[in-house]
Amino acid sequence: MTITWKRNAAIAVLALSAIFFVPRVVLAADASLYELTENMKINKFTNGSYRSATSQLAGWANVGTPLCPKALVVLLSPGATTCRINATGRDNINTGTGLGSFWGTYTVVVQGDNPVDGPEFVVSTGAFFGQMDFSPALVNRVPYGTVKGYLVSSATGTASFTGVFRLPFAGNYAGPETGGATLRQVFCPLTPDVNAFAPYFGGTDVAYVDTASDAPNGRCINVQPTELSLGEPTVRFDISF
């Protein structure tokens, strides 16, 4: 019993001393999560087919957001710029319209009893839910979708948010359905058709569609080597409060 108590106390002290983490990155959105795994199936009903999926996501939230409250950061880790977020998300989307709902839970985690692996010690929890519009991806074949929702945090209460799911795509693909143009030229004509990280992906030009006001803005965002899971490009979920 004494050994277990001492171990737990040590973990708690370590957690409080490293409650918010850096990488010291400046996120373009208030928070950015990446889809590490996804289990998906298609369910057919009399009123249509539905795409149902469960995903595990991880990423970072900026200090001062409902996911990363400034008061807690100032108290426990002055100078930190981000919080680490783990989430489990589920959705159910009509494949004909691209419309549906999403919901799930999340945790704010810090380094626990292994300083080498990823953070795992839970310091805050919450839930989220809302509506999805994946018609750009499922109906119009443009690789993104949007959400509007709410989160309920054990630390900050309830807050509304909007988000954009950005699906990675091979920008150098040019098929008959594109008229021979690359997907970068189709989706992102304002961005030069060059990706400095293409050699890292075996010569494949991998990108996300950039957006403004929930619509493509003519530019691409290069997928970075840090945006991979087991070597594969991930879906990126940018959240704004």
Side-chain angles (χ1 to χ4, degrees):
M1 181 67 71
T2 301
I3 294 175
T4 300
W5 183 88
K6 288 182 177 178
R7 176 178 178 274
N8 290 342
I11 292 174
V13 170
L14 181 60
L16 291 177
S17 66
I19 188 166
F20 295 98
F21 331 88
V22 197
R24 294 188 176 271
V25 295
V26 177
L27 304 177
D30 291 324
S32 291
L33 305 181
Y34 294 89
E35 187 179 76
L36 306 182
T37 66
E38 181 180 22
N39 295 324
M40 185 272 288
K41 60 182 178 180
I42 301 295
N43 297 313
K44 295 184 178 181
F45 302 100
T46 55
N47 65 338
S49 296
Y50 288 80
R51 184 188 188 279
S52 298
T54 299
S55 300
Q56 303 295 329
L57 306 100
W60 295 270
N62 283 330
V63 170
T65 66
L67 287 168
C68 186
K70 185 175 181 179
L72 201 54
V73 175
V74 171
L75 177 65
L76 298 172
S77 186
T81 59
T82 59
C83 299
R84 174 65 179 263
I85 310 297
N86 291 337
T88 299
R90 296 175 174 83
D91 61 56
N92 191 46
I93 305 171
N94 185 299
T95 59
T97 64
L99 304 179
S101 57
F102 71 97
W103 63 97
T105 58
Y106 72 89
T107 58
V108 180
V109 295
V110 300
Q111 202 69 55
D113 51 2
N114 183 349
V116 178
D117 69 356
E120 68 276 289
F121 193 87
V122 177
V123 295
S124 179
T125 62
F128 56 89
F129 59 92
Q131 300 299 310
M132 303 183 70
D133 181 356
F134 250 62
S135 59
L138 295 182
V139 179
N140 300 319
R141 305 304 180 188
V142 183
Y144 80 100
T146 62
V147 303
K148 295 181 179 181
Y150 296 87
L151 67 81
V152 181
S153 166
S154 64
T156 58
T158 302
S160 62
F161 66 91
T162 59
V164 180
F165 276 96
R166 307 186 195 279
L167 285 64
F169 67 92
N172 56 1
Y173 172 78
E177 67 274 21
T178 68
T182 69
L183 289 183
R184 265 188 180 266
Q185 291 172 316
V186 173
F187 296 147
C188 320
L190 300 181
T191 301
D193 191 15
V194 175
N195 185 342
F197 295 95
Y200 188 88
F201 300 115
T204 300
D205 182 13
V206 184
Y208 301 113
V209 170
D210 199 4
T211 55
S213 300
D214 294 345
N217 64 5
R219 298 186 181 278
C220 280
I221 303 170
N222 289 337
V223 174
Q224 304 295 313
T226 55
E227 296 178 304
L228 307 180
S229 176
L230 298 178
E232 297 178 329
T234 57
V235 174
R236 171 172 153 180
F237 183 31
D238 288 335
I239 302 169
S240 298
F241 291 99

